PDB file of all heavy atoms in Angstrom:
ATOM      1  N   LEU A 280       5.437 -16.732  -8.602  1.00 95.00           N
ATOM      2  CA  LEU A 280       5.477 -15.272  -8.506  1.00 95.00           C
ATOM      3  C   LEU A 280       6.701 -14.782  -9.276  1.00 95.00           C
ATOM      4  O   LEU A 280       7.767 -15.383  -9.180  1.00 95.00           O
ATOM      5  CB  LEU A 280       5.613 -14.836  -7.032  1.00 95.00           C
ATOM      6  CG  LEU A 280       5.832 -13.340  -6.804  1.00 95.00           C
ATOM      7  CD1 LEU A 280       4.530 -12.569  -6.975  1.00 95.00           C
ATOM      8  CD2 LEU A 280       6.382 -13.061  -5.414  1.00 95.00           C
ATOM      9  N   VAL A 281       6.531 -13.713 -10.044  1.00 97.00           N
ATOM     10  CA  VAL A 281       7.687 -13.025 -10.627  1.00 97.00           C
ATOM     11  C   VAL A 281       7.738 -11.642 -10.004  1.00 97.00           C
ATOM     12  O   VAL A 281       6.731 -10.932  -9.998  1.00 97.00           O
ATOM     13  CB  VAL A 281       7.574 -12.892 -12.165  1.00 97.00           C
ATOM     14  CG1 VAL A 281       8.787 -12.138 -12.727  1.00 97.00           C
ATOM     15  CG2 VAL A 281       7.453 -14.257 -12.829  1.00 97.00           C
ATOM     16  N   VAL A 282       8.900 -11.291  -9.449  1.00 98.00           N
ATOM     17  CA  VAL A 282       9.062  -9.931  -8.919  1.00 98.00           C
ATOM     18  C   VAL A 282      10.275  -9.306  -9.595  1.00 98.00           C
ATOM     19  O   VAL A 282      11.343  -9.918  -9.644  1.00 98.00           O
ATOM     20  CB  VAL A 282       9.185  -9.922  -7.371  1.00 98.00           C
ATOM     21  CG1 VAL A 282      10.198 -10.913  -6.853  1.00 98.00           C
ATOM     22  CG2 VAL A 282       9.520  -8.520  -6.855  1.00 98.00           C
ATOM     23  N   VAL A 283      10.090  -8.129 -10.168  1.00 98.00           N
ATOM     24  CA  VAL A 283      11.196  -7.439 -10.832  1.00 98.00           C
ATOM     25  C   VAL A 283      11.598  -6.257  -9.956  1.00 98.00           C
ATOM     26  O   VAL A 283      10.827  -5.309  -9.774  1.00 98.00           O
ATOM     27  CB  VAL A 283      10.810  -6.952 -12.240  1.00 98.00           C
ATOM     28  CG1 VAL A 283      12.029  -6.349 -12.941  1.00 98.00           C
ATOM     29  CG2 VAL A 283      10.231  -8.088 -13.070  1.00 98.00           C
ATOM     30  N   VAL A 314       2.569 -10.933 -11.072  1.00 93.00           N
ATOM     31  CA  VAL A 314       3.849 -10.262 -11.354  1.00 93.00           C
ATOM     32  C   VAL A 314       3.886  -8.946 -10.585  1.00 93.00           C
ATOM     33  O   VAL A 314       2.925  -8.176 -10.616  1.00 93.00           O
ATOM     34  CB  VAL A 314       4.004  -9.983 -12.871  1.00 93.00           C
ATOM     35  CG1 VAL A 314       5.325  -9.258 -13.147  1.00 93.00           C
ATOM     36  CG2 VAL A 314       3.942 -11.286 -13.666  1.00 93.00           C
ATOM     37  N   VAL A 315       4.992  -8.733  -9.872  1.00 94.00           N
ATOM     38  CA  VAL A 315       5.183  -7.495  -9.106  1.00 94.00           C
ATOM     39  C   VAL A 315       6.370  -6.744  -9.706  1.00 94.00           C
ATOM     40  O   VAL A 315       7.432  -7.335  -9.905  1.00 94.00           O
ATOM     41  CB  VAL A 315       5.477  -7.815  -7.617  1.00 94.00           C
ATOM     42  CG1 VAL A 315       5.794  -6.542  -6.847  1.00 94.00           C
ATOM     43  CG2 VAL A 315       4.318  -8.567  -6.972  1.00 94.00           C
ATOM     44  N   PHE A 316       6.179  -5.474 -10.031  1.00 96.00           N
ATOM     45  CA  PHE A 316       7.291  -4.632 -10.476  1.00 96.00           C
ATOM     46  C   PHE A 316       7.573  -3.623  -9.373  1.00 96.00           C
ATOM     47  O   PHE A 316       6.647  -2.961  -8.885  1.00 96.00           O
ATOM     48  CB  PHE A 316       6.927  -3.846 -11.745  1.00 96.00           C
ATOM     49  CG  PHE A 316       6.775  -4.688 -12.975  1.00 96.00           C
ATOM     50  CD1 PHE A 316       5.526  -5.171 -13.351  1.00 96.00           C
ATOM     51  CD2 PHE A 316       7.874  -4.995 -13.773  1.00 96.00           C
ATOM     52  CE1 PHE A 316       5.372  -5.937 -14.500  1.00 96.00           C
ATOM     53  CE2 PHE A 316       7.728  -5.763 -14.928  1.00 96.00           C
ATOM     54  CZ  PHE A 316       6.470  -6.238 -15.288  1.00 96.00           C
ATOM     55  N   ALA A 317       8.834  -3.472  -9.003  1.00 96.00           N
ATOM     56  CA  ALA A 317       9.213  -2.415  -8.061  1.00 96.00           C
ATOM     57  C   ALA A 317      10.136  -1.451  -8.811  1.00 96.00           C
ATOM     58  O   ALA A 317      11.353  -1.635  -8.854  1.00 96.00           O
ATOM     59  CB  ALA A 317       9.915  -3.019  -6.850  1.00 96.00           C
ATOM     60  N   VAL A 343       1.139  -5.931 -10.328  1.00 89.00           N
ATOM     61  CA  VAL A 343       1.251  -5.035  -9.175  1.00 89.00           C
ATOM     62  C   VAL A 343       2.483  -4.168  -9.413  1.00 89.00           C
ATOM     63  O   VAL A 343       3.600  -4.676  -9.458  1.00 89.00           O
ATOM     64  CB  VAL A 343       1.414  -5.834  -7.860  1.00 89.00           C
ATOM     65  CG1 VAL A 343       1.636  -4.898  -6.683  1.00 89.00           C
ATOM     66  CG2 VAL A 343       0.200  -6.725  -7.626  1.00 89.00           C
ATOM     67  N   VAL A 345       4.565  -1.373  -7.794  1.00 90.00           N
ATOM     68  CA  VAL A 345       4.752  -0.727  -6.509  1.00 90.00           C
ATOM     69  C   VAL A 345       5.169   0.729  -6.736  1.00 90.00           C
ATOM     70  O   VAL A 345       6.086   0.979  -7.525  1.00 90.00           O
ATOM     71  CB  VAL A 345       5.873  -1.475  -5.744  1.00 90.00           C
ATOM     72  CG1 VAL A 345       6.188  -0.814  -4.439  1.00 90.00           C
ATOM     73  CG2 VAL A 345       5.500  -2.942  -5.549  1.00 90.00           C
ATOM     74  N   VAL A 375       1.187 -11.111  -1.802  1.00 87.00           N
ATOM     75  CA  VAL A 375       0.667 -11.502  -3.120  1.00 87.00           C
ATOM     76  C   VAL A 375       0.662 -13.027  -3.241  1.00 87.00           C
ATOM     77  O   VAL A 375      -0.304 -13.621  -3.728  1.00 87.00           O
ATOM     78  CB  VAL A 375       1.509 -10.859  -4.248  1.00 87.00           C
ATOM     79  CG1 VAL A 375       1.119 -11.410  -5.607  1.00 87.00           C
ATOM     80  CG2 VAL A 375       1.337  -9.348  -4.241  1.00 87.00           C
TER      81      VAL A 375
END
Side-chain angles (χ1 to χ4, degrees):
L280 173 77
V281 179
V282 49
V283 185
V314 179
V315 175
F316 291 93
V343 176
V345 176
V375 172

